Amino acid sequence: MKRTFQLNEIHQVAKELLEKAPNKVLCLYGDMGVGKTTLVKALVKELGAVDVASSPTFGLVNEYSDENDAPLAYHFDFYRLNDEMEALDMGFEDYLNSNAWLFIEWPEKIPSLIPEDAVGVFLHFIEESTRSIELNIS
């Protein structure tokens, strides 16, 4: 999947991404402000979560559940991480063993902890309201 899109098409892009991803671990790459969290918000909504997604920058992880309180997705923001040990200390490996979707912002902060079959999602700024997205599937 590689395409350019307008920000008002983000929900369509999220739906397409959920359909095309071969597994539930999505690593989001892109510059600050490119729209990684905006994409996660759309992904969480498309999954049918009862909560509205927000950035977990200070808490590192947010959990989103369905109407039966079953976990649908975990959203990680590792921007402020100093080393991989912090991710291990928060139980990151346990999240990898869950059946929920994992949306990981700043995965480059924890390279040795990312599963080999994780899907790389690369976002690029084109213009003020235009972005491109590309999947890297191992």
Side-chain angles (χ1 to χ4, degrees):
M1 175 179 164
K2 183 176 183 177
R3 66 176 286 202
T4 301
F5 65 96
Q6 300 297 307
L7 290 179
N8 63 4
E9 299 173 301
I10 194 81
H11 289 281
Q12 180 182 345
V13 169
K15 184 176 181 178
E16 220 176 292
L17 181 53
L18 291 170
E19 290 170 356
K20 293 184 190 257
N23 66 55
K24 293 183 174 183
V25 180
L26 304 183
C27 295
L28 293 100
Y29 296 89
D31 293 335
M32 181 78 70
V34 76
K36 295 180 298 291
T37 299
T38 302
L39 178 59
V40 171
K41 287 179 182 183
L43 289 164
V44 166
K45 185 172 183 179
E46 287 298 319
L47 287 173
V50 294
D51 305 307
V52 175
S54 61
S55 176
T57 299
F58 297 102
L60 296 182
V61 63
N62 285 344
E63 177 181 321
Y64 300 102
S65 303
D66 64 16
E67 65 277 351
N68 298 317
D69 210 30
L72 282 174
Y74 296 100
H75 175 198
F76 301 88
D77 186 334
F78 290 135
Y79 180 74
R80 297 190 186 282
L81 225 57
N82 293 313
D83 58 47
E84 290 183 336
M85 199 58 169
E86 289 181 58
L88 290 172
D89 288 345
M90 67 172 280
F92 183 70
E93 289 175 313
D94 293 332
Y95 291 104
L96 289 173
N97 293 320
S98 76
N99 193 34
W101 285 85
L102 304 184
F103 305 127
I104 306 167
E105 293 188 48
W106 304 102
E108 55 270 36
K109 296 276 196 159
I110 58 163
S112 72
L113 302 179
I114 299 297
E116 286 184 24
D117 63 348
V119 178
V121 178
F122 296 85
L123 290 167
H124 300 282
F125 181 87
I126 305 296
E127 293 178 351
E128 187 61 35
S129 64
T130 307
R131 303 292 187 271
S132 71
I133 187 170
E134 183 175 353
L135 296 189
N136 183 1
I137 301 167
S138 302

